[in-house]
């Protein structure tokens, strides 16, 4: 069997959106799409992947796969590649996906394109577009190998519903608990009713112009009305108004939402690096010269403490 | 305990990128230590100050220019440096092979690195080094605790905080929020000049990935800009969000 394998990601049964994005994208390429799900008690998810175009679902179920661990996952993947010879294996560019893909690539002594924003695949070869220098340049890289390996940036591929057969198959389990060489002591999910930054369709961010927690509250009201993720500039994170995981930019998260709203953010080059590829950008800033306006589709020169609450009222109408 | 820190020299984050003769032009660009690696250097120095580490060695693969990155780390407080001469165009595989060979020769108890380089943004090299050396790896860390031959770290994972324990030796990669790197003092800069730096040749390693095209992204055009009374501006922005962007309102 050849085909394009998509290593989907789930935690405690919650499937990450990027999994569907990758399946839909792979479906466009035309080869058979196989969703590969590792876990325990995950067979029931197969129908979900089929909804977005997975022709087959490879269910890798065992106690040792309950949570991601490098040794067992890589050992199992190596065995499956040997058995089924996929043409390409794509991972999500996430905390676990990066680890999995980089380890596997090194084990196979192959190249790997990480954080791809566009994918072209042919037999034994992939051309991937990568955003380098924090989005200031684009590189197309050629990766060869069997399989071709890459990680895909969340939020760049469109989710396209389309039914496929989704036949389930279960490979032989080769990995064992002896392969595990790190111990996850705890995983504490960030408690938030809001979507995650890298998955959200709308991101509303606050910067130094928020002046403190009260200003951030105003920005949060807008975020919640739009069902948006909350983000911030380094200034608001360094001031302690927001947690570091919410920083957008070169040394924070790169986001690709449909709409990005920058409130009280000047638009430093390191901030732009994290959000300038958003489809629409709006900004509210008192300084008409603020660089954020150079990349904004809709800019309001004004005081966020006045404009944002009024915007909330208007949107509610 | 010996700590080795991998530092990559990168463009200043303010640098304007231009393409010349099919390459990223580097003339006149200010070079810095990758911001994540600066945090890793600081982390190593703090381990020494706490009496956990006895020596902090910095390792860079690159051109002669990378000597500046090493000297900066030495001025911060690292003890000695190693520069492996390698073409800066080497890919992640080739860099990992070369760095791993240099690390093996040093046999450190702990390898620190940044979790991503600000230039190529690939996030592969430390993981590949760990695989080559058969070591565990903890990524994107924001804290570290070392006791009884084990390292326990908090990491910024997707959607939460993960605490991971590994046996040492191990490779551990930093997130910027781990610490606040110090500025080298005048005294540190003077001392750095006297600290030993070994220059070695890279082991043979061929790149696997080929760059076939480089381009600059289309510049984003500025759109509408409203400088009016807040109520007028808010009404127009609201209209734009609803009609052009077509946002959904959660009531
Ligand atoms: C190596 C490195 C990495 C970095 N990485 C990042 C990164 O990942 N992300 C990041 O964001 N930054 C990063 N930075 C920092 C960056 O250079 C800027 O310092 C930072 O983005 C500034 O944040 P800010 O726009 O909130 O603050 P400022 O630049 O101080 O801007 C505040 C803005 O608020 C406006 N304002 C003030 N009052 C109001 C009001 N009442 N209503 C509306 N507007 C108002 C002001 O006009 C101003 O434009 C990095 C820097 C370095 C050196
Ligand atoms: N040429 C290099 N010399 C030293 N360290 C490097 C080099 N390339 C990568 N690294 C290390 O690997 C980390 C991640 O780099 P990358 O995989 O290129 O994103 C960096 O933060 C460095 O710590």
């Amino acid at each position: 069997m050849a085909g394009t394998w998509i290593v989907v990601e789930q935690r405690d049964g919650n499937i990450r959106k990027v999994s569907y994005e990758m399946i839909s994208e792979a479906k466009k390429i035309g080869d058979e799409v196989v969703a590969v799900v590792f876990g325990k008690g995950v067979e029931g998810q197969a129908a979900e992947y089929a909804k977005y175009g997975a022709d087959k679902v490879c269910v890798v179920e065992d106690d040792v796969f309950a949570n991601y661990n490098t040794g067992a996952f890589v050992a199992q993947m190596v065995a499956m590649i040997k058995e089924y010879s996929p043409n390409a294996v794509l991972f999500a560019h996430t905390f676990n996906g990066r680890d999995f893909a980089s380890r596997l690539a090194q084990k196979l002594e192959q190249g790997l394109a990480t954080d791809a924003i566009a994918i072209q695949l042919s037999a034994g070869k992939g051309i991937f577009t990568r955003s380098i220098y924090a989005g200031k340049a684009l590189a197309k890289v050629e990766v060869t190998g069997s399989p071709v390996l890459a990680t895909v940036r969340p939020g760049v591929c469109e989710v396209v519903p389309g039914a496929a057969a989704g036949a389930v198959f279960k490979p032989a389990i080769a990995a064992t608990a002896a392969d595990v060489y790190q111990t996850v002591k705890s995983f504490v999910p960030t408690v938030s009713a809001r979507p995650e930054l890298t998955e959200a369709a709308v991101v509303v961010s606050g910067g130094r112009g928020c002046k403190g927690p009260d200003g951030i509250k105003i920005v949060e009201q807008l975020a919640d009305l739009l069902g948006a993720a909350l983000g911030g500039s380094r200034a608001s994170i360094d001031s302690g108004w927001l947690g570091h995981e919410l920083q957008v930019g070169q040394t924070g998260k790169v986001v690709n939402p449909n709409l990005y709203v920058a409130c009280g953010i000047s638009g430093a080059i390191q901030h732009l690096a994290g959000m300038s590829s958003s489809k629409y950008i709006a900004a509210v800033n008192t300084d008409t010269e603020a660089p954020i306006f150079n990349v904004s589709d809709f800019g309001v020169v004004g005081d966020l403490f006045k404009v944002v609450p009024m915007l909330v009222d208007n949107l509610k109408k | 305990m010996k700590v080795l820190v991998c530092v990559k020299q990168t463009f200043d984050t303010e640098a304007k990128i231009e393409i010349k003769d099919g390459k990223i032009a580097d003339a006149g660009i200010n070079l810095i230590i990758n911001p994540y690696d600066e945090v890793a250097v600081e982390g190593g120095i703090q381990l020494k100050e706490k009496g956990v580490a006895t020596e902090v060695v910095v390792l860079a693969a690159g051109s002669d220019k990378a000597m500046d990155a090493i000297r900066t780390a030495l001025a911060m407080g690292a003890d000695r440096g190693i520069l492996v001469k390698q073409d800066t165009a080497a890919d992640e595989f080739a860099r990992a092979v070369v760095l791993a060979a240099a690390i093996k020769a040093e046999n450190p108890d702990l390898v620190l690195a940044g979790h991503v380089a600000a230039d190529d943004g690939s996030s592969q090299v430390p993981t590949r080094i760990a695989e080559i050396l058969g070591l565990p790896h903890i990524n994107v860390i924001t804290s570290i605790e070392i006791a009884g031959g084990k390292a326990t770290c908090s990491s910024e994972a997707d959607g939460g905080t993960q605490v991971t324990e590994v046996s040492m030796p191990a490779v551990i990669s930093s997130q910027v929020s781990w610490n606040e790197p110090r500025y080298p003092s005048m005294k540190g800069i003077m001392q750095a000049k006297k600290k030993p730096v070994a220059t070695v040749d890279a082991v043979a390693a061929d790149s696997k990935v080929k760059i076939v095209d480089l381009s600059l992204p289309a510049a984003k055009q500025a759109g509408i800009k409203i400088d009016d009374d807040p109520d007028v501006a808010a009404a127009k922005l609201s209209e734009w969000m609803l009609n052009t962007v077509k946002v959904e309102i959660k009531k």
Side-chain angles (χ1 to χ4, degrees), chain A residues 206-211 232-238 241 244 247-253 260 263-274 284-292 300 302-306, chain B residues 12-14 32-33 35-36 38 118 176:
Chain A
R208 200 192 310 275
C210 292
K211 299 190 170 77
S233 68
R234 183 152 119 186
S236 52
I237 274 102
D238 285 352
W241 308 335
H244 181 265
Q247 181 173 317
V248 173
Q250 181 148 27
T251 48
K253 301 237 156 58
Y260 187 87
C263 307
I265 292 176
S266 62
I269 194 154
Q270 297 94 345
H271 188 79
L272 300 185
V284 181
N285 196 305
T286 42
D287 176 10
T288 184
E289 301 289 328
I292 190 77
V300 172
D303 182 352
L304 73 92
F305 288 85
K306 291 187 185 136
Chain B
D12 190 328
T13 52
E14 300 276 348
I32 60 167
I33 300 186
Y36 297 85
E38 207 181 354
V176 275

Side-chain angles (χ1 to χ4, degrees), chain B residues 6-8 34 37 59-61 95 99 113-117 120-126:
Chain B
C6 295
V7 297
K8 186 180 190 195
N34 180 35
D37 304 356
L59 168 66
R95 275 183 282 140
L99 290 167
H115 90 81
V116 59
D120 58 36
S122 59
S123 313
Q124 295 184 29
V125 170

Side-chain angles (χ1 to χ4, degrees), chain A residues 288-302:
Chain A
T288 184
E289 301 289 328
I292 190 77
F293 289 129
N294 299 337
V295 298
S296 296
D297 299 283
F298 201 108
V300 172
V301 182

Side-chain angles (χ1 to χ4, degrees), chain A residues 102 114 130, chain B residues 5-10 34-38 40 59-63 66 82 84 86-88 90-92 95-96 98-99 112-129 172-174:
Chain A
S102 302
T114 34
R130 304 189 60 244
Chain B
V5 191
C6 295
V7 297
K8 186 180 190 195
Q9 191 177 43
T10 56
N34 180 35
Y36 297 85
D37 304 356
E38 207 181 354
L59 168 66
S63 70
I82 303 165
V84 186
Q86 188 181 29
D87 183 351
T88 49
D91 77 351
E92 299 83 4
R95 275 183 282 140
V98 159
L99 290 167
L112 295 176
H115 90 81
V116 59
D119 49 7
D120 58 36
S122 59
S123 313
Q124 295 184 29
V125 170
T127 319
R128 284 180 179 269
I129 290 173
I172 289 177
S173 311
S174 68

Side-chain angles (χ1 to χ4, degrees), chain B residues 140-163:
Chain B
V140 205
I141 72 146
T142 56
S143 75
I144 186 167
E145 205 76 57
I146 290 173
K150 290 195 153 100
T152 308
C153 299
S154 285
S155 295
E156 197 179 296
D158 301 293
T161 304
Q162 179 168 308
V163 177

